[in-house]
Amino acid sequence: MAADGRLRVEALVGTTRTVRTGRLDLAVLNRVLGALLAGPPGAAPGRDAAPDGPAAAADTGRRLTVTGLLPDGDASWDDATTSPVPGVGRALEALAAQVLDPAAAGRLPGVLLALDEIDPAEAGTTARPAAAIGTVGGRAAYALAEPEQGFGLVALDGADPLGGSGTEAGVLPTALALGTAGGRELFAVGGADGAVQVWDAVSGALLHGTAGGEGAQAVTAGLVQGVPLVFSAGRQGEVQAWHAEDGRALGLLSVAGQGAAVLCHARCAGLDLVAAAGDDALVRVWDAATGEQLHLLVGHGDRVTALAVLSLGDQALLASAGQDGSVRLWDLATGQPLAVLTGHSGTVTALAFLRTGGDPLLASCALDGTVRTWDVYTARALDGRPVARGWLTALAAVPHDGRDLLVTGDESGQLTFWDPATWTAVGDCAPGPGQDFPVNALAVGELDGRPVLAAGHGDGTLRLWDAATRTTLHTAAPEGGPVTSVALCPAGDRTLVVCGTATGAVRCLDPRSGAPLSVPTSHTGPVSAVAVGAPDQDGRALLASAGTDGTVRVREALGGAPLLRLTADPAGVTALAVGSVAGRPTLATAGRDGTVRLWDATDGAPGPAPAGSLPGPVTALSFGLLDTREVLVGGGADGSLRIWDARDGSPAGDFAGGGSPVRSLVLQDLGGETLLAAGDQGATLRLWHAGSGTLLNEAELDRLPLAVAFGEAGLHVVGPGGATTL
């Protein structure tokens, strides 16, 4: 950590080196230095450290050095000496872990940490060759993607080119699929940045897709011309608009690719507005219905971390604040600055307008531990006092008896309710023992006629509270990393809870049941597999994609409407297949531990558990028929294959491999006999009689078998350089 807040974390595990950079709020550095100056036990960022006892005795092999920041000169601590690393060292280890893995539970409040984006090449995420076999224009064809060569479609008979891309396609392909939906032949590509795009394979027209590499850490929501919309933004890219109920992408609001750290929705003079701000210290305001940018607000000297809106009939005030410690008021109708409010000595982390029965007030909280209130009309400071021993991270105004109570969230995970007239605490909401992760975001809304409060925590938990009784209505389990923002959106007769996460995923939940609703965002890591599968009960062909982020996303293949998102394997999904089992569209997924799982592709319900796992990671999956049985075939990293009955998960066959990972496989009935073909990383193709388990043939190939399929002319094999037929 440098004196200006720049941060670099480097980890070496075996031969794998991981480096992440970013920027810390100086409040973190100041607390670390304060703990070191105070001496043992010292205060850790976010906690008071307690280095004495068994935990401290277990610390070994660490060294901590501080240069140019302590008044008495440079200092060093080493566990191997008589001056071991003090208790703050364990907090620094936790900070490093949080930086290296943003999906992990975070003890450091999200507002304190802004990580730089990792270039896929620097992260070791590069394009890999991928292939698929299907039909294009009624002809047998294959799709092939090779690093630095783009991707293309080629006829199997005659090798005629049928379309494709050059090296400038803007996607690093990691997975391909060919399929049919609504009478149209489709070509799908998954990329290293998490994007999935679908083309008409015949015309080459892009039908739909998700933008990758952006993430969605900031969200807001509201009714725009009566339609519930969600707006999301990541650390890079543009602001995306979505239909809240079905997840349809509706367009982009341009921030020149700069991303946004905070968003808010407002209504002013009959217009629905969206404001966004972030690292570039600018605040942009758009007409949400047309996408036209109305204002570019300039004035902050550093990153903007908080926005709030007060609607006043045909007028509205926008408040913005950030790391420069100032709060600024703007006329949303004209974009003119109205006032600059100063008084905080640390980054302002949240803002909220308050109804008091008289003139409205603005409340602000900051990393200096204080809450301040301001007269909106005179821009005069009314009160300011410390209300927390640590960092204040979130703020909200909750209706109560015709006026508002103020709610603060802090680094310990607690919510405290305050009467702003007397500054007395009138209640609190504590998450419970062992659940003391920071409150990263708060949002207030209405559910069944009562005020509710949504709180997003650093461990990824989302809690919904009855604001009047301060009781928990629902707790949604962590998914997608620490919650970074929360919004409540009215949608017809219900309210939706939307949140962004540290990994860039958007979660949309039913507040009554916690059930996940449509989630429009792309994968937050490379796509490991894509597949076009059987139609659902409404006749819609399904497009499924799986990623290293551990999730599977299911969309309507032709139109792209999101239908389902499920976490199939938190360690990452390595193989995926889509098929029909007992008349129901079914997903098969597998991961690095060799476990294969079945899911209902419509509602995500787990299916029967396939008996036994493959040794090591599963590298290929495929549905098929063995005689009249619906079966699933899986191939593993050791080259072995296993067949399961897809209806009950019982074993139906085992086949030994040659020790190299299976790259492709196909099961097909030919003349009343079911044959199983599999190609492996060692460029060997094996052919079995599936019913008896007899190995019929084994052939060395001149290319890596990325895809295999039976055809009239023989067995087609696609690999780098093209296709061959055996």
Side-chain angles (χ1 to χ4, degrees):
M1 297 189 296
D4 63 356
R6 292 302 304 175
L7 173 73
R8 174 186 169 90
V9 179
E10 181 175 333
L12 182 63
V13 180
T15 60
T16 301
R17 185 180 303 275
T18 303
V19 178
R20 290 213 69 170
T21 59
R23 182 181 176 192
L24 278 172
D25 195 284
L26 292 181
V28 181
L29 184 60
N30 291 337
R31 187 179 284 193
V32 170
L33 295 177
L36 295 174
L37 288 170
R47 299 289 179 274
D48 285 334
D52 301 323
D59 292 332
T60 59
R62 303 173 307 160
R63 182 182 300 114
L64 173 64
T65 302
V66 181
T67 304
L69 296 174
L70 296 172
D72 294 332
D74 299 346
S76 182
W77 295 262
D78 193 317
D79 286 339
T81 70
T82 56
S83 298
V85 175
V88 72
R90 291 201 297 281
L92 294 176
E93 291 180 69
L95 168 61
Q98 184 173 342
V99 171
L100 292 171
D101 183 9
R107 290 288 185 183
L108 193 73
V111 71
L112 296 171
L113 180 62
L115 295 179
D116 296 330
E117 292 294 319
I118 296 181
D119 184 278
E122 293 182 4
T125 301
T126 58
R128 63 178 186 180
I133 298 175
T135 61
V136 176
R139 300 174 66 182
Y142 67 88
L144 175 64
E146 297 184 75
E148 301 179 359
Q149 296 186 37
F151 48 84
L153 300 173
V154 182
L156 278 168
D157 55 340
D160 300 327
L162 303 176
S165 77
T167 57
E168 73 288 347
V171 60
L172 293 173
T174 54
L176 302 178
L178 286 168
T180 303
R184 299 176 71 174
E185 293 164 330
L186 307 182
F187 172 42
V189 177
D193 62 355
V196 177
Q197 298 179 341
V198 178
W199 285 266
D200 184 304
V202 177
S203 69
L206 178 64
L207 300 180
H208 60 85
T210 59
E214 299 173 13
Q217 295 163 326
V219 297
T220 191
L223 289 176
V224 177
Q225 296 184 350
V227 179
L229 299 187
V230 172
F231 299 87
S232 64
R235 300 283 300 158
Q236 291 183 339
E238 314 298 350
V239 178
Q240 175 73 65
W242 313 92
H243 192 294
E245 293 185 300
D246 61 21
R248 284 182 289 117
L250 300 177
L252 300 173
L253 305 175
S254 176
V255 286
Q258 296 299 307
V262 60
L263 300 171
C264 74
H265 168 263
R267 187 158 181 81
C268 175
L271 296 178
D272 289 289
L273 307 179
V274 171
D279 291 352
D280 60 4
L282 302 174
V283 181
R284 294 174 172 87
V285 181
W286 298 270
D287 181 331
T290 66
E292 177 188 0
Q293 182 173 306
L294 302 178
H295 308 304
L296 180 65
L297 310 181
V298 181
H300 284 286
D302 209 331
R303 181 181 185 229
V304 177
T305 57
L307 296 172
V309 170
L310 174 66
S311 294
L312 299 167
D314 288 338
Q315 294 181 306
L317 295 181
L318 175 70
S320 61
Q323 285 190 286
D324 61 7
S326 70
V327 179
R328 293 176 179 264
L329 295 178
W330 313 85
D331 184 332
L332 264 186
T334 64
Q336 293 300 307
L338 298 177
V340 179
L341 313 177
T342 59
H344 284 294
S345 60
T347 297
V348 179
T349 54
L351 299 166
F353 284 100
L354 292 165
R355 298 176 307 144
T356 63
D359 290 343
L361 305 180
L362 174 67
S364 58
C365 68
L367 295 179
D368 57 14
T370 66
V371 174
R372 295 181 178 272
T373 53
W374 317 81
D375 185 297
V376 169
Y377 294 136
T378 65
R380 180 171 55 91
L382 298 179
D383 203 345
R385 62 186 66 204
V387 299
R389 186 169 59 92
W391 291 317
L392 290 171
T393 56
L395 194 66
V398 173
H400 178 74
D401 292 338
R403 58 192 184 92
D404 287 339
L405 297 177
L406 195 62
V407 184
T408 58
D410 61 31
E411 60 181 291
S412 72
Q414 179 163 303
L415 305 180
T416 305
F417 289 70
W418 304 88
D419 184 337
T422 62
W423 282 108
T424 55
V426 295
D428 59 59
C429 297
Q435 301 176 346
D436 53 343
F437 287 86
V439 179
N440 284 339
L442 286 174
V444 176
E446 187 176 282
L447 180 65
D448 299 330
R450 57 185 177 182
V452 293
L453 185 65
H457 293 261
D459 64 344
T461 302
L462 183 67
R463 292 182 174 87
L464 193 68
W465 302 87
D466 185 311
T469 63
R470 293 185 280 281
T471 56
T472 306
L473 296 176
H474 187 78
T475 299
E479 184 179 335
V483 176
T484 52
S485 59
V486 178
L488 292 170
C489 180
D493 60 351
R494 63 177 178 172
T495 298
L496 307 180
V497 182
V498 184
C499 68
T501 70
T503 64
V506 167
R507 301 174 64 189
C508 187
L509 305 173
D510 184 316
R512 293 181 178 85
S513 65
L517 304 173
S518 64
V519 179
T521 53
S522 59
H523 290 279
T524 57
V527 178
S528 54
V530 290
V532 179
D536 63 10
Q537 65 270 23
D538 296 321
R540 300 173 296 188
L542 304 180
L543 171 74
S545 60
T548 58
D549 61 0
T551 68
V552 173
R553 315 293 176 96
V554 180
R555 294 177 177 268
E556 196 275 313
L558 192 57
L563 303 174
L564 178 67
R565 176 185 185 274
L566 62 88
T567 298
D569 191 322
V573 180
T574 58
L576 169 75
V578 182
S580 179
V581 177
R584 296 279 297 180
T586 301
L587 302 171
T589 65
R592 300 185 182 281
D593 62 357
T595 301
V596 177
R597 298 175 174 87
L598 292 169
W599 314 83
D600 188 298
T602 303
D603 58 17
S613 60
L614 287 164
V618 178
T619 53
L621 289 171
S622 179
F623 284 99
L625 289 175
L626 180 57
D627 298 325
T628 59
R629 298 171 69 186
E630 295 172 326
V631 296
L632 173 68
V633 188
D638 66 344
S640 64
L641 296 103
R642 179 167 293 174
I643 301 179
W644 297 272
D645 187 304
R647 293 200 179 204
D648 61 18
S650 61
D654 284 286
F655 306 84
S660 294
V662 175
R663 289 301 302 267
S664 55
L665 55 85
V666 62
L667 184 73
Q668 187 159 328
D669 181 274
L670 292 177
E673 301 293 340
T674 304
L675 302 184
L676 173 63
D680 66 22
Q681 187 72 30
T684 299
L685 186 73
R686 293 178 176 84
L687 183 68
W688 285 273
H689 183 274
S692 65
T694 303
L695 180 64
L696 301 177
N697 206 345
E698 185 173 326
E700 299 298 322
L701 304 172
D702 62 353
R703 68 200 67 201
L704 183 66
L706 301 173
V708 295
F710 290 100
E712 293 182 1
L715 186 62
H716 300 297
V717 180
V718 178
T724 187
T725 302
L726 304 180

